[in-house]
Amino acid sequence: MAVSNSLLLVAQAALYFVVMMTLLHRRKSIGLGVFMCALGVMHFLETYLASVFYVQLPHGIISPGSTVLFSGKLLMILLLYVKEDAATVRQPIHGLLFGNFLIVGLVMILRNHETVQVVAGREPDIAFVDEMGLLMVWGTVLLYIDSLAIILLYERLGRWLGRHFVLRVLICGALVLTFDQLGFYIALHLVSDAPLSVLYGGWVAKMLATVVYALFFMAYLALFPAGEQKAGPRRFRDLFDVLTYRERYEDLLKTSHLDFLTKVSHRSQFDTTAQDLIDVSTANGHSASLILIDIDHFKAVNDTYGHQAGDEVLATVARVLRDNQRSDDHIFRYGGEEFVIVSQRMGAEAAQSFSDRLRRAIEDVTRDAFLEPVTVSIGIAAAPLEGRDLATLFEIADRRLYAAKASGRNRVVGPLNEPVPVPV
């Protein structure tokens, strides 16, 4: 009996995985809502089986609802996050949370009806409905916590395990399902006086289920290594498709001028707006400064630690620049490891002080964030003191940047410590 039950559980897990993965794999052509609906309608069955349906396995007594269906659902939520994004995965998470609370609220009202008997001997079991309601509420709260925890843990493991997707799934699945088993058993014991063997047996079964699903993931990745099916032509466009397109288009307009990695304006924005920024400032009788920043030994970071580490350095330096940005400062990513700040209403002396503060802040922040501190060299040009033309100012700042590098790096060179003749 125990062996046949084990085989049946594996068959259930295989069926669940194949159907759900097919829906997720084809989401571009059939729509993501199909996957989400299939994910949501299983919750009542999971809770029902977890409360009354148990089978004997070699290691103890378990429920297929908790072992196969709930474990599978949690890992499918994680996979949805991996395939899409946090904004997408929160939809089924919140839908399950509010949907099950709604069920309980409706049951609280329904139980007050005076019912009539239509079929002899068939009466509604209100006590069981109450028990199910309590378990569904608790199970839903646990699912909400589990879903957030498994996503956060998956991201955290990415720092050490990188692209080892299956191993990350295995570890975070095992840890979160251990927490879930303990949490759900407490409620099950209080509601139905479940014995301790249910806790141990269910935990072992969930660990085995995590391994089985991880193996299924390996098989899926082996069968579909090149990505997913592209969406075919649509026969019609529904309201949600139109609204989604409009929302994403508006978001794109808001962020199209930003560099994806560093979240500062990119080179084309500098080319089209920097001269205007300088002209506006000087036309109103104010100074302006062009600050050119280059990360020291950046190639060595990429060569030693890899391009992912280099991206983290770029993102961190950009974050420090943004954190110290005034309302009159405009930050651009000019090249690979170069940034430019056009500071309106800022003269040469203030620019030099501001730049040195940035240099020290970058060194301090990166000292805590990385194995060794990251330093920058900075060159400054001031308008109108040294010119009003963008090309002239950039040439001066660039020359001073190289002077900073030639004199030892991790320093600022500007009008105060390397004056140049004022252009005629």
Side-chain angles (χ1 to χ4, degrees), residues 231-261:
R234 293 182 180 270
R235 296 178 181 268
F236 62 90
R237 297 175 65 85
D238 61 34
L239 176 62
F240 288 105
D241 186 39
V242 174
L243 290 175
T244 300
Y245 175 81
R246 186 178 68 186
E247 179 181 323
R248 292 184 178 179
Y249 177 71
E250 290 173 352
D251 288 343
L252 180 62
L253 290 178
K254 293 177 183 177
T255 60
S256 59
H257 70 283
L258 298 181
D259 176 66
F260 177 77
L261 175 64

Side-chain angles (χ1 to χ4, degrees), residues 39-56:
L39 195 70
V41 297
M42 302 295 293
H43 194 72
F44 181 84
L45 180 61
E46 294 166 19
T47 308
Y48 172 75
L49 294 178
S51 61
V52 299
F53 193 98
Y54 286 83
V55 297
Q56 179 70 52

Side-chain angles (χ1 to χ4, degrees), residues 256-325:
S256 59
H257 70 283
L258 298 181
D259 176 66
F260 177 77
L261 175 64
T262 60
K263 304 298 186 294
V264 300
S265 297
H266 48 58
R267 168 71 181 271
S268 64
Q269 284 293 112
F270 174 79
D271 292 337
T272 57
T273 64
Q275 183 66 66
D276 291 339
L277 294 172
I278 294 170
D279 290 344
V280 168
S281 191
T282 55
N284 291 325
H286 302 296
S287 299
S289 294
L290 190 147
I291 303 169
L292 187 56
I293 304 166
D294 186 86
I295 300 175
D296 296 328
H297 304 295
F298 185 73
K299 185 178 183 300
V301 174
N302 281 333
D303 293 343
T304 304
Y305 302 106
H307 288 280
Q308 184 175 356
D311 287 348
E312 292 179 3
V313 168
L314 284 168
T316 302
V317 170
R319 177 171 57 81
V320 174
L321 298 180
R322 297 196 312 271
D323 288 346
N324 289 273
Q325 181 179 12

